[in-house]
């Protein structure tokens, strides 16, 4: 391992600079870390919660010596994190992994739940260079939709679409439902997606059928974050080392597992 990689993989303790409530179940944490502040959209960090666990998190924003992550309370580690306050200390490693390719053409971004976080980071970078940004954000209910105000600021009214499964906000449908009509009516240079794997699998199939370039950020069980343990394997790839951002060509190679099955915490294969 190179000296720089060793530096990235060293745990640095840092105070929580700020905590922001995004929804009833999602909070955004601002941390101080010079290395993670240099992260690019799509990369992730490993967050150590002292005495509890270490978890991988997509990066929401980075720069000026600070990094932000958004966390939904879904397990023991994230629920404990939600009890922590400004000034409490955490550990970080990273940033790790591949990043999104930044297109200058028309871009369609499709995010589900907190999978919207790395796409919002990307959208802020693309806003100054892409020809046009269109964003679809989906969730089960209005209370689970995140970053709507930030997306409105980046997209025109007609290019930002919100969907909820129960119809409590935006269109009552899945985030994947408006895509085919949108792709058929506009000539996108690239589709970017992050969220539930079944959602991303359907978007991969649409992009492949219509021959549109695509990049997807995958989420898997990650323990080491540097490609050693193999807990995040999908096909021949290790998501932490070879991803988390994969191209359409790479995603084609893992279609027997993508949106179908993954390795669980005990190493057994389980349904996605």
């Amino acid at each position: 391992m190179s000296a720089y990689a060793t530096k990235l993989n060293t745990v640095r303790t840092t105070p929580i600079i700020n905590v922001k409530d995004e929804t009833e179940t999602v909070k955004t944490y601002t941390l101080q870390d010079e290395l993670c502040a240099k992260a690019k959209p799509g990369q992730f960090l490993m967050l150590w919660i002292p005495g509890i666990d270490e978890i991988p998190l997509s990066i929401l924003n980075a720069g000026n010596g600070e990094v932000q992550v958004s966390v939904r309370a879904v397990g023991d580690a994230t629920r404990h994190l939600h009890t922590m306050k400004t000034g409490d200390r955490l550990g970080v490693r990273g940033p790790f992994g591949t990043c999104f390719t930044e297109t200058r053409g028309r871009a369609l971004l499709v995010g589900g739940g907190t999978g919207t976080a790395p796409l919002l980071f990307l959208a802020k970078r693309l806003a100054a260079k892409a020809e046009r940004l269109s964003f679809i954000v989906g969730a089960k209910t209005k209370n689970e939709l995140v970053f709507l105000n930030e997306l409105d600021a980046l997209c025109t009214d007609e290019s930002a679409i919100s969907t909820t499964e129960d119809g409590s906000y935006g269109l009552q449908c899945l985030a994947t439902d408006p895509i085919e009509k949108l792709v058929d009516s506009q000539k996108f240079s690239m589709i970017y997606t992050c969220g539930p794997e079944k959602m991303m699998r359907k978007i991969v199939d649409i992009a492949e059928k219509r021959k549109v370039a695509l990049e997807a950020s995958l989420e898997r069980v990650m323990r080491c974050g540097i490609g050693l343990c193999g807990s995040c394997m999908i096909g021949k790839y290790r998501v932490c080392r070879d991803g988390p951002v994969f191209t359409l060509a790479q995603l084609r190679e893992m279609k027997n597992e993508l949106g179908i099955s993954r390795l669980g915490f005990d190493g057994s294969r389980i349904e996605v």
Side-chain angles (χ1 to χ4, degrees), residues 41 100-110 118-135 154-155 189-193 215:
F100 290 110
T101 304
E102 297 182 17
T103 182
R104 292 187 177 275
R106 292 191 171 195
L108 172 62
L109 300 88
V110 187
L119 297 180
L120 179 59
F121 187 13
L122 173 66
K124 290 177 180 176
R125 295 288 180 91
L126 294 180
K129 63 178 70 172
E131 179 183 340
R132 179 186 171 92
L133 289 183
S134 296
F135 214 120
L154 292 169
C155 303
S189 304
M190 179 76 83
I191 299 174
Y192 304 96
T193 183
E215 292 182 353

Side-chain angles (χ1 to χ4, degrees), residues 129-252:
K129 63 178 70 172
E131 179 183 340
R132 179 186 171 92
L133 289 183
S134 296
F135 214 120
I136 300 174
V137 56
K140 290 183 178 179
T141 70
K142 178 183 178 181
N143 291 337
E144 296 179 26
L145 286 171
V146 289
F147 312 126
L148 292 180
N149 291 336
E150 291 89 342
L151 293 175
D152 284 343
L154 292 169
C155 303
T156 58
D157 288 343
E158 65 272 18
S159 64
I161 299 173
S162 301
T163 70
T164 52
E165 294 181 26
D166 68 353
S168 53
Y169 190 86
L171 303 176
Q172 183 175 9
C173 61
L174 299 173
T176 51
D177 289 352
I179 294 176
E180 289 185 90
K181 183 178 179 182
L182 203 58
V183 170
D184 287 342
S185 63
Q186 301 191 36
K187 192 173 181 62
F188 289 108
S189 304
M190 179 76 83
I191 299 174
Y192 304 96
T193 183
C194 184
E197 200 165 299
K198 284 184 179 295
M199 178 197 83
M200 291 194 289
R201 171 58 188 266
K202 186 167 184 179
I203 298 170
V204 166
D205 290 341
I206 292 171
E208 192 169 29
K209 184 178 179 181
R210 286 166 170 75
K211 302 185 187 308
V212 181
L214 174 142
E215 292 182 353
S217 177
L218 304 189
E219 297 178 13
R220 292 265 156 160
V221 173
M222 291 186 192
R223 297 185 186 279
C224 69
I226 55 173
L228 294 178
C229 72
S231 61
C232 61
M233 291 291 295
I234 179 168
K236 66 180 184 181
Y237 296 106
R238 297 172 192 236
V239 173
C240 68
R241 184 194 64 187
D242 305 313
V245 177
F246 291 95
T247 65
L248 186 57
Q250 292 173 311
L251 294 161
R252 282 194 198 102

